[in-house]
Amino acid sequence: MPSLDPFFTEWAERRPGQTRSLGRASALLAALGLDADRTPVLGVVGSKGKGSTATTAAAALSAAGLRTVLVTGPSFRSYRERVRVDGTSVDDAVLDALGARIDAARRDLPTVEESGGYLAPSGLFLVAGLLRAREAGADVCVLEAGMGGRRDELRLAGPEVVALGKVFAEHVGVLGADVVEIAREKTLVAGERTRALVRLPQTPEVAAEIDAALADATGGRVGAEVVDPEAEGTEPPPALRPPGLSAASGVLGAAAAARMLEHLGIPGPDRRTLHGVLATVRLPGRLSRHTVPLPAGRAPGGEAPDAEVVVDSAIDRVGVAAALAHARGLWGGVDHVLLCLPDHKDVSGAVEVLGGLPVTAVRLPETHLRFEHALPPHWGRMDAADLTAAALAALGRRVLALGTVYFTGRVLEAVDAPTDRLFG
């Protein structure tokens, strides 16, 4: 088990009113020599689907023969998964070594009080990815932003190519007062080094704000390129896109990878090679299907069929409806739904979509999350600590698990899902 203190110490010790400090993060990058000597970066921002976009982009770049470091978050089962080389998580020893180097440089910085803020864990994993890329001789980094925008450490990395997913009203009041302001904030991850921004179709108001913000960030050098998943011939073909609502993210990731290859002057892979690698992409927690492990003492091949669970990080009405339709398409029906949505997610929308289905609401222990939204009285209740393979199997043979990534990671842990390798 790697030591996580270097990544979480300042966040855990933060005082009321303290915020993350990009100035401190910039000083850390300079102390590690990453302000100038760093691997080319493809940055991924958006309101949803960043992990699917980043993973597809990394797989497409690997198909072209590039050694690729991928940084995503949150993790599924282990923090090692936050940093991957060619789709595979670093091991404990590597993460420990990265953390030790970061911690040594951090200790030479001015204090948190002098810096005016702390180093955020998501930014420190991004720094770890940049370090690992340099050590491993990687050709390119694919870095997923946290919330994204000018206040995200990704901006400090200076992405040459930006992939901007669909923007909607997530983090209202944090990144902006409405979706237009949020779109502007996310676009401002671009900067002096940016040479291309590829985005999914947006509403006219959001598209106009993205164009204006991009012009401001790049001095008018860069114009947004729109990739439409519905256009005929768009890569990859539908059969090789991630399932459900993540399909558009796969298209965006492939398009952004193509722009990065153009920037680097490297020929793209032929379609057969590209499709072969994309066919290996696996996205845990994105409509992923898993067999629930047999209870102790039960031999395989018994009369009762194995229970299965489909796991998806749906957080709103649209996502829940898409996941329910997907599960019904696989199984013909759903025996039970596990749902874990804190109050700031679209709980009302999920309640409407799930209707009269048997549902158990799961409560997480994280103190910053609230679970006080009124729920149908016939729904069951469960604490996340009680989530085991046996508990899943007891709900039926066809279980749909939906909710925040903190929850879906626990489900993947319960069924011992493979999460260390995303492609290849």
Side-chain angles (χ1 to χ4, degrees):
M1 185 75 172
S3 170
L4 298 174
D5 287 349
F7 299 97
F8 288 94
T9 293
E10 291 195 4
W11 177 81
E13 296 176 352
R14 71 195 187 283
R15 296 178 181 175
Q18 281 186 336
T19 59
R20 67 199 297 162
S21 170
L22 282 194
R24 187 167 176 77
S26 180
L28 179 65
L29 287 171
L32 291 167
L34 292 169
D35 53 338
D37 179 21
R38 63 104 174 110
T39 306
V41 171
L42 189 164
V44 180
V45 295
S47 297
K48 187 70 174 170
K50 295 189 297 293
S52 301
T53 299
T55 300
T56 304
L61 291 166
S62 290
L66 274 61
R67 189 161 210 204
T68 305
V69 165
L70 171 65
V71 176
T72 57
S75 51
F76 304 112
R77 299 181 60 186
S78 166
Y79 283 101
R80 295 182 296 99
E81 301 164 358
R82 300 291 289 267
V83 181
R84 301 175 186 264
V85 179
D86 294 331
T88 300
S89 305
V90 298
D91 60 27
D92 289 352
V94 169
L95 189 60
D96 270 335
L98 292 171
R101 291 191 60 191
I102 289 171
D103 203 42
R106 179 185 69 84
R107 292 176 184 276
D108 287 337
L109 299 178
T111 65
V112 170
E113 288 71 23
E114 292 171 318
S115 299
Y118 59 86
L119 293 169
S122 60
L124 290 174
F125 281 110
L126 185 149
V127 173
L130 291 172
L131 270 179
R132 184 57 184 151
R134 188 169 66 188
E135 294 172 354
D139 300 297
V140 64
C141 282
V142 179
L143 306 179
E144 176 188 343
M147 285 188 287
R150 77 184 94 187
R151 289 173 285 180
D152 195 282
E153 289 81 359
L154 177 57
R155 182 174 70 84
L156 300 178
E160 280 84 357
V161 175
V162 175
L164 176 58
K166 189 75 172 176
V167 180
F168 55 85
E170 179 81 347
H171 304 303
V172 169
V174 179
L175 290 182
D178 54 34
V179 69
V180 173
E181 288 188 8
I182 291 170
R184 179 174 183 81
E185 181 67 23
K186 290 184 179 293
T187 304
L188 290 175
V189 78
E192 293 181 2
R193 285 175 166 159
T194 304
R195 296 295 177 266
L197 183 145
V198 185
R199 67 169 176 83
L200 289 175
Q202 312 282 342
T203 64
E205 296 80 9
V206 167
E209 193 63 30
I210 290 172
D211 290 341
L214 184 60
D216 290 344
T218 65
R221 292 180 295 100
V222 179
E225 175 185 342
V226 181
V227 56
D228 184 359
E230 302 300 323
E232 187 175 351
T234 301
E235 287 286 349
L240 293 177
R241 298 175 188 178
L245 299 180
S246 294
S249 299
V251 171
L252 178 62
R259 297 304 162 265
M260 176 57 86
L261 290 171
E262 290 177 3
H263 169 69
L264 298 174
I266 296 173
D270 60 68
R271 294 184 74 225
R272 181 175 180 180
T273 301
L274 174 64
H275 292 177
V277 174
L278 293 182
T280 70
V281 171
R282 297 293 180 267
L283 296 168
R286 275 76 173 181
L287 292 177
S288 56
R289 182 181 186 180
H290 309 275
T291 299
V292 179
L294 295 169
R298 176 185 157 191
E303 292 184 4
D306 290 336
E308 289 189 328
V309 58
V310 166
V311 186
D312 191 62
S313 302
I315 58 171
D316 61 13
R317 177 194 312 264
V318 175
V320 170
L324 183 58
H326 180 84
R328 284 171 168 162
L330 286 176
W331 295 323
V334 173
D335 295 326
H336 206 97
V337 179
L338 280 177
L339 180 72
C340 181
L341 290 183
D343 292 347
H344 67 283
K345 303 298 185 184
D346 184 16
V347 183
S348 297
V351 170
E352 287 188 25
V353 170
L354 295 175
L357 286 170
V359 179
T360 295
V362 182
R363 184 186 182 96
L364 291 167
E366 280 77 8
T367 57
H368 67 286
L369 299 176
R370 296 284 179 267
F371 293 87
E372 299 172 0
H373 195 288
L375 300 174
H378 65 278
W379 282 18
R381 306 291 191 274
M382 176 189 290
D383 288 330
D386 298 325
L387 185 60
T388 63
L392 285 168
L395 296 174
R397 292 191 299 107
R398 305 168 299 180
V399 178
L400 179 61
L402 306 173
T404 178
V405 174
Y406 294 108
F407 163 69
T408 55
R410 287 173 177 263
V411 179
L412 295 170
E413 179 73 23
V415 300
D416 195 24
T419 56
D420 271 330
R421 192 166 187 83
L422 296 183
F423 61 84

